Amino acid sequence: MRSLHLLLALSIPIVQSSWTRAADPAKPQVFNVGRLHPASSPPIDKAVLVVQDGKIIAVGKQGETPTPADAVIHNLPEAVIIPGLVDSHSHIGLWSRPGVPGN
């Protein structure tokens, strides 16, 4: 799956389980959330994020943004989404090996 980075405050487990339970992952995914922070404009309250094939195809206010008729809907009224945010802080590869200098 193409990279799609979402930061969800207090809703990560809900979205992850909703995403993996989608009947058909090829269908568009619509996330109705409490707040969305786009990179190019002010935050949007009661926002909608539409994702298809791993790409964001629409962002806007609920009721004003068209959504595909066959989409899987995820209603997350308490969630905050920041599309495009990448947290590059990582500890991958940082482990010690007994007997190896520098660990």
Side-chain angles (χ1 to χ4, degrees):
M1 180 165 80
R2 293 186 185 103
S3 178
L4 171 67
H5 301 281
L6 302 176
L7 173 66
L8 300 170
L10 305 175
S11 298
I12 291 172
I14 295 169
V15 170
Q16 286 175 339
S17 64
S18 296
W19 187 276
T20 57
R21 283 183 298 177
D24 183 355
K27 287 187 176 183
Q29 305 290 310
V30 174
F31 296 90
N32 293 314
V33 298
R35 180 167 253 213
L36 187 136
H37 292 269
S40 60
S41 64
I44 303 169
D45 290 323
K46 294 186 179 177
V48 62
L49 172 77
V50 183
V51 179
Q52 186 167 19
D53 296 324
K55 293 184 180 181
I56 297 171
I57 61 170
V59 171
K61 288 196 70 69
Q62 293 176 21
E64 297 176 8
T65 305
T67 58
D70 63 336
V72 176
I73 307 294
H74 306 277
N75 290 312
L76 306 164
E78 301 297 320
V80 175
I81 293 183
I82 306 175
L85 177 70
V86 177
D87 181 3
S88 61
H89 180 100
S90 173
H91 293 272
I92 294 174
L94 296 179
W95 54 281
S96 62
R97 294 176 285 168
V100 176
N103 285 305

